[in-house]
Amino acid sequence: MPFAVELFFDTHAEKQICDAWEAIQKAGIGSSLLDDGYRPHVSLSVCGRIDSTAFEAGLFSFAESVVPFPLSLSNVGVFPGAEGVVFLGVTVTEHLLDVHAAFHKIFKKYAGEQSEHYAVGKWVPHCTLAFGLSERQIAEAVSICRGIPLPISAEVKEIGLMDVSPNSCQTLCLRKLG
């Protein structure tokens, strides 16, 4: 799906996650998310189509209503299935779920072909470390990621609409929270 709305962290947390991305890349496991234009993030939703011009005003209004907030990345996880995803799991808080639900009230007006994985009540908040991995690569990536000092304490500071593909990520609009 080509569009994602993502929450971005403070620079210290970003650096810690980028270090993990680099360690995975240096081990020859998958491509570098940094080289593909990604920033460490937690996706609020993913969709196949969006009226990005109209959505930008709604996103900016939403961003103004949300003050920066803390987030804890507390574990290493793997999603089942063929996608081969290794991630840092987010400790779920009532505030995070409230932000997610409030966002979806706005998002549904502009987006089509929304991924059910990000729907309210089904969402598993996470920060992807690698994707498109084989079973062997998943095991290697998890072994590397076990060396990450957890939890990573982050502050969510920005929100953005991204145009994504398996090989690239481009920012369409970005807004600071608060």
Side-chain angles (χ1 to χ4, degrees):
M1 296 192 153
F3 301 99
V5 178
E6 300 174 349
L7 297 173
F8 298 106
F9 313 125
D10 62 278
T11 56
H12 180 70
E14 270 198 12
K15 167 105 175 62
Q16 291 176 283
I17 296 162
C18 286
D19 288 347
W21 286 358
E22 289 173 4
I24 291 167
Q25 181 190 21
K26 284 179 184 171
I29 305 168
S31 67
S32 170
L33 293 172
L34 286 173
D35 291 345
D36 293 339
Y38 289 90
R39 287 175 58 192
H41 65 275
V42 170
S43 295
L44 289 175
S45 193
V46 174
C47 67
R49 58 184 171 76
I50 191 165
D51 180 347
S52 59
T53 303
F55 176 65
E56 188 170 339
L59 181 67
F60 284 7
S61 177
F62 176 75
E64 287 177 353
S65 73
V66 178
V67 297
F69 61 94
L71 194 87
S72 180
L73 302 152
S74 54
N75 64 298
V76 176
V78 176
F79 283 124
E83 288 90 16
V85 177
V86 175
F87 62 87
L88 289 175
V90 174
T91 300
V92 177
T93 64
E94 187 174 335
H95 180 72
L96 179 62
L97 293 177
D98 289 346
V99 167
H100 182 251
F103 167 77
H104 274 274
K105 287 180 183 176
I106 295 166
F107 190 64
K108 67 183 178 183
K109 299 174 191 174
Y110 305 101
E113 301 170 26
Q114 295 181 43
S115 170
E116 285 298 312
H117 295 299
Y118 297 88
V120 173
K122 295 182 181 180
W123 180 52
V124 177
H126 66 281
C127 178
T128 299
L129 295 173
F131 62 88
L133 304 181
S134 67
E135 290 295 320
R136 180 188 56 78
Q137 290 172 318
I138 289 171
E140 290 175 23
V142 168
S143 180
I144 290 167
C145 293
R146 290 183 65 207
I148 299 171
L150 296 176
I152 294 174
S153 295
E155 183 175 33
V156 176
K157 300 188 72 94
E158 295 176 304
I159 188 170
L161 174 63
M162 314 304 286
D163 185 349
V164 298
S165 76
N167 300 353
S168 69
C169 181
Q170 180 182 16
T171 302
L172 299 178
C173 64
L174 185 67
R175 180 74 174 181
K176 290 189 183 302
L177 297 182

